[in-house]
Amino acid sequence: MTGTNRPKLGKYAPPGPLRRGPVIVLVEPQLGENIGAAARAMLNCGITELRLVNPRDGWPNPAAYVLASKADPVLDAVSVFTSTADAVADLHRIYATTARHRDMMKEVVTPREAAARMRAEEKDGFRVGILFGRERTGLDNEDVALAHIGISVPLNPGFSSLNLAQAVLLLGYEWFTAADDTAPSRLDTVRGGFATQEELQGLFDHIVDELNQSAFFHNVEPKRGAILRNLRSALQRVPLASQEVHTFRGMLKAIAQGRPLRAALRRKKPAEE
């Protein structure tokens, strides 16, 4: 085996609380491209330590770097082992991904539950690892027997097969979000921020003035109060950006300036006909 190295991530390093994460162990991966895609998925989720057990095409593998998409530091620090037992020898808790029932007594959890447990175990100082099997056949029973807990992804029973990188990303994402405090939603604003009440009032007055000049209320005068209340409510309901208010007022101004031209064109058209 090669020594276990910490990747030099530079600008790709995740924030301190997310750094390192569980060790990802790929058992006898077949394609270098899959190794590279798995490394990319790992770094997406702030997981940085990758171990390989007997990669079919050897290591290092140039094909892995093609699919890594700048996750090269993870690949540069890969450790290679000749057996799964050696690859997990220094770990305290081991999880094995499995898509089928095994003839052994072992607790099997979902990725979400596994992520919560791994976070707690890491907090207690345990080193945690996740085993992923071969692209075509998955993990052998001997590999699964080394694990404390199995992980099974609840998917369509008729088609539950994942490729290697998908499986790594799915587990990595659950691990990442188990400690992520990103708000469930946000409102991105343009430059200038939200419109002030004064700006909204200016837009309201501008609209009303144009409606009056267009004789909009001539035939709906009894409903004028209700219409204006609904208009004001609409303007207040959704936060408008200051830039959006200025855009709307510019549109109203352009419509008003074009009104005489449109009237002249309407008068000219019948005469030509």
Side-chain angles (χ1 to χ4, degrees):
M1 57 162 281
T2 62
T4 53
N5 304 312
R6 292 295 303 276
K8 297 178 175 60
L9 299 174
K11 66 178 181 180
Y12 300 119
L18 296 174
R19 191 161 298 166
R20 198 172 190 178
V23 174
I24 301 300
V25 182
L26 306 184
V27 179
E28 298 184 2
Q30 297 167 291
L31 298 175
E33 290 86 348
N34 287 337
I35 298 172
R40 177 179 183 177
M42 288 172 57
L43 196 52
N44 284 153
C45 301
I47 300 172
T48 60
E49 188 169 347
L50 177 60
R51 301 181 183 181
L52 307 179
V53 178
N54 291 330
R56 186 190 66 182
D57 297 333
W59 192 261
N61 187 333
Y65 287 82
V66 177
L67 268 291
S69 188
K70 298 184 180 179
D72 295 6
V74 174
L75 297 178
D76 291 341
V78 158
S79 300
V80 181
F81 297 80
T82 57
S83 72
T84 306
D86 287 341
V88 300
D90 63 329
L91 304 180
H92 303 103
R93 296 291 285 176
I94 305 162
Y95 292 76
T97 56
T98 177
R100 64 183 186 273
H101 179 72
R102 307 283 179 159
D103 293 325
M104 62 183 75
M105 183 73 72
K106 191 175 295 290
E107 183 182 14
V108 179
V109 299
T110 65
R112 191 157 299 171
E113 174 64 17
R117 294 190 187 190
M118 285 188 284
R119 284 288 184 182
E121 290 159 355
E122 289 172 337
K123 189 175 181 180
D124 289 338
F126 294 156
R127 287 291 283 133
V128 179
I130 309 175
L131 299 177
F132 295 85
R134 306 151 188 83
E135 288 91 328
R136 293 188 61 187
T137 60
L139 293 169
D140 289 339
N141 284 346
E142 288 73 16
D143 298 322
V144 177
L146 293 170
H148 299 92
I149 299 174
I151 303 176
S152 182
V153 182
L155 294 170
N156 172 13
F159 191 74
S160 59
S161 175
L162 295 171
N163 70 33
L164 187 57
Q166 285 176 321
V168 172
L169 179 59
L170 194 153
L171 268 295
Y173 177 76
E174 290 291 354
W175 177 84
F176 185 94
T177 57
D180 181 50
D181 60 358
T182 301
S185 67
R186 73 168 188 255
L187 180 63
D188 290 336
T189 61
V190 295
R191 186 173 54 189
F194 293 117
T196 64
Q197 189 60 36
E198 181 181 13
E199 290 173 317
L200 291 174
Q201 183 64 45
L203 175 59
F204 177 81
D205 293 339
H206 195 161
I207 295 173
V208 172
D209 182 58
E210 292 302 327
L211 292 175
N212 284 328
Q213 294 192 48
S214 300
F216 174 81
F217 295 108
H218 179 70
N219 294 321
V220 294
E221 188 60 38
K223 299 180 180 180
R224 180 187 181 97
I227 291 172
L228 292 180
R229 283 194 299 273
N230 289 337
L231 173 61
R232 187 181 293 279
S233 177
L235 292 177
Q236 298 288 150
R237 186 182 309 123
V238 180
L240 290 176
S242 179
Q243 179 178 317
E244 292 171 332
V245 169
H246 290 305
T247 298
F248 282 132
R249 295 197 67 173
M251 292 165 62
L252 290 170
K253 183 177 180 181
I255 292 171
Q257 291 175 340
R259 193 177 298 125
L261 176 60
R262 292 194 299 275
L265 290 175
R266 283 196 296 270
R267 289 192 298 270
K268 182 179 181 182
K269 189 174 181 180
E272 291 176 345
E273 292 177 347

